[in-house]
Amino acid sequence: MPRIVSGGLWRPVSIVYKNKNRITDYRLSTTKIFENEAELTLDFSLHTNEDFLTDFAIKVDGKSGDSTFSFTDKMYSVNKKMHMNIPSPKLWWPKNYGDPDLYDIALSLLYKDEVCDTVTFKTGIRTVLLERTSQAGENGTFRFIVNGKPIMCLGTNWVPTDPFPSRHDQYTLRGL
């Protein structure tokens, strides 16, 4: 579905101060789920004007109910990939399969052991696999495997043939 936005400013506008040393991009994903442990991978980048990166570190804190974790690692490049093993994680599950537990995550950039930037977000620890083989069903359809368990998806996601509903009849009349 294409994005159709009216012209001009249409949401609130603000001026945002950006630290000279800051986290610019980040992605936290679940790599694997074991019986009592999950492996997460954090990919991120930082922006700095400092000449040396040896005084920088990244700290990752996560909390969901009574489940918490914290990891710190040194920076040797402005791009980093960090692997973390989380013991006894609270997993995110879809409706009717369990609780949709989410972790509050705080990524903190440290310079000489002082926090210079922090990014916060929520994420669920889960794996999702789309299985498209003849094993998925009688007619070789597909199924989703969430956290290693096959699930039944409910609902649909229909995208209109055209983003302007007034033109739908034109397509129907022409047989499109």
Side-chain angles (χ1 to χ4, degrees):
M1 184 91 184
R3 182 171 181 238
I4 301 170
V5 181
S6 62
L9 299 174
W10 59 284
R11 288 194 175 161
V13 175
S14 60
I15 296 174
V16 178
Y17 168 78
K18 291 188 176 185
N19 297 326
K20 67 177 183 174
N21 300 319
R22 65 185 178 273
I23 299 168
T24 55
D25 295 306
Y26 57 92
R27 181 174 184 261
L28 182 64
S29 59
T30 306
T31 311
K32 295 178 187 171
I33 294 180
F34 304 101
E35 191 170 322
N36 288 315
E37 186 176 72
E39 180 183 281
L40 304 182
T41 300
L42 172 66
D43 291 293
F44 68 96
S45 301
L46 68 94
H47 175 272
T48 183
N49 293 329
E50 300 296 330
D51 292 329
F52 301 103
L53 297 176
T54 54
D55 291 327
F56 285 97
I58 189 77
K59 183 176 182 194
V60 183
D61 293 302
K63 181 173 176 37
S64 177
D66 59 353
S67 177
T68 62
F69 62 86
S70 183
F71 295 91
T72 304
D73 203 0
K74 287 283 191 186
M75 296 295 300
Y76 299 102
S77 170
V78 293
N79 300 305
K80 186 165 181 70
K81 183 177 286 227
M82 188 171 161
H83 299 282
M84 301 167 282
N85 289 339
I86 313 301
S88 304
K90 289 185 175 243
L91 300 180
W92 176 94
W93 289 98
K95 186 176 180 178
N96 300 327
Y97 287 89
D99 294 327
D101 288 308
L102 292 176
Y103 279 79
D104 292 311
I105 305 292
L107 299 180
S108 299
L109 181 63
L110 307 172
Y111 180 67
K112 296 184 179 179
D113 297 324
E114 295 291 325
V115 175
C116 58
D117 192 26
T118 300
V119 175
T120 60
F121 60 95
K122 289 185 177 286
T123 192
I125 296 178
R126 81 281 186 244
T127 58
V128 179
L129 172 69
L130 172 60
E131 185 180 81
R132 296 181 295 179
T133 67
S134 60
Q135 299 171 355
E138 277 183 26
N139 300 320
T141 58
F142 63 90
R143 67 180 179 176
F144 286 99
I145 313 275
V146 176
N147 301 332
K149 181 178 180 179
I151 63 159
M152 174 65 175
C153 293
L154 303 173
T156 61
N157 182 15
W158 180 75
V159 176
T161 54
D162 193 295
F164 300 105
S166 63
R167 298 194 311 198
H168 287 192
D169 288 341
Q170 294 173 17
Y171 294 119
T172 306
L173 295 175
R174 291 187 303 182
L176 296 176

